[in-house]
Amino acid sequence: MKRFSFRLSPVLRLRRAAEQEALRNLGDARRGRDAAAESARTRLEEEQAAKVEQSAAQRPGGLAVPTLLAHQRHVAAAGRRVFEARAALAAQDAALEEARLAWIAASRDRKAMDRLRERRESAWVAEGLREEQKTIDEAASRAGGARG
């Protein structure tokens, strides 16, 4: 009996490659999301430090008005950077979710091809067993007919 051959092997290889690519993209998205989260934490710490500096400057006997205004501008700029970092984090979260869904779809497609291959191989094995049994039965009936 000849060897099993799955005619859709090229499709299965493509689906496996697509799943691996989707998994790499998911890893990249996770790293990007982690970097964005770290940036957002850093910006928030910077904003908090700027607010502490501003509070210290506003105590009685503190700084002159131009200096206080400079502190306010610094706090406002830090607040904008926090807002931008949070927006970048939200965008990275969306990209991560998109990459996750793409990987799930690619994985599902590859598993479907694997199951199809397994079913076809099982059918091929079963057909081989039927042919073998048929050959055995024919041999047995010839042997029985030769005796009688």
Side-chain angles (χ1 to χ4, degrees):
M1 190 166 152
K2 66 180 183 178
R3 205 177 73 127
F4 173 72
S5 175
F6 183 54
R7 290 184 325 179
L8 296 174
S9 288
V11 176
L12 179 58
R13 277 193 302 278
L14 285 174
R15 294 216 175 149
R16 284 180 178 156
E19 181 184 20
Q20 289 301 311
E21 180 67 21
L23 189 58
R24 279 190 293 278
N25 291 342
L26 179 61
D28 292 345
R30 282 186 179 150
R31 284 186 290 282
R33 196 259 179 224
D34 291 345
E38 181 60 32
S39 176
R41 277 192 293 276
T42 301
R43 300 294 179 244
L44 186 60
E45 290 170 1
E46 290 171 359
E47 180 188 37
Q48 291 169 345
K51 287 179 180 178
V52 167
E53 288 176 21
Q54 182 184 19
S55 314
Q58 290 178 345
R59 293 196 178 111
L63 301 173
V65 171
T67 307
L68 288 174
L69 291 175
H71 278 286
Q72 286 176 344
R73 285 192 302 274
H74 181 63
V75 168
R80 281 191 303 278
R81 286 191 297 271
V82 167
F83 178 79
E84 291 166 358
R86 285 182 177 160
L89 178 58
Q92 286 296 323
D93 283 340
L96 177 60
E97 182 62 14
E98 183 178 324
R100 187 184 71 80
L101 293 174
W103 173 71
I104 288 171
S107 179
R108 182 185 59 237
D109 291 346
R110 190 255 325 145
K111 287 176 184 177
M113 288 301 296
D114 279 340
R115 285 191 300 273
L116 178 61
R117 183 188 188 286
E118 289 168 8
R119 283 195 306 270
R120 292 213 177 145
E121 186 173 19
S122 294
W124 176 81
V125 168
E127 179 62 27
L129 291 175
R130 279 192 297 278
E131 287 178 15
E132 185 178 330
Q133 187 62 45
K134 182 179 175 184
T135 304
I136 291 170
D137 290 346
E138 288 174 0
S141 71
R142 274 190 241 124
R147 282 189 212 145

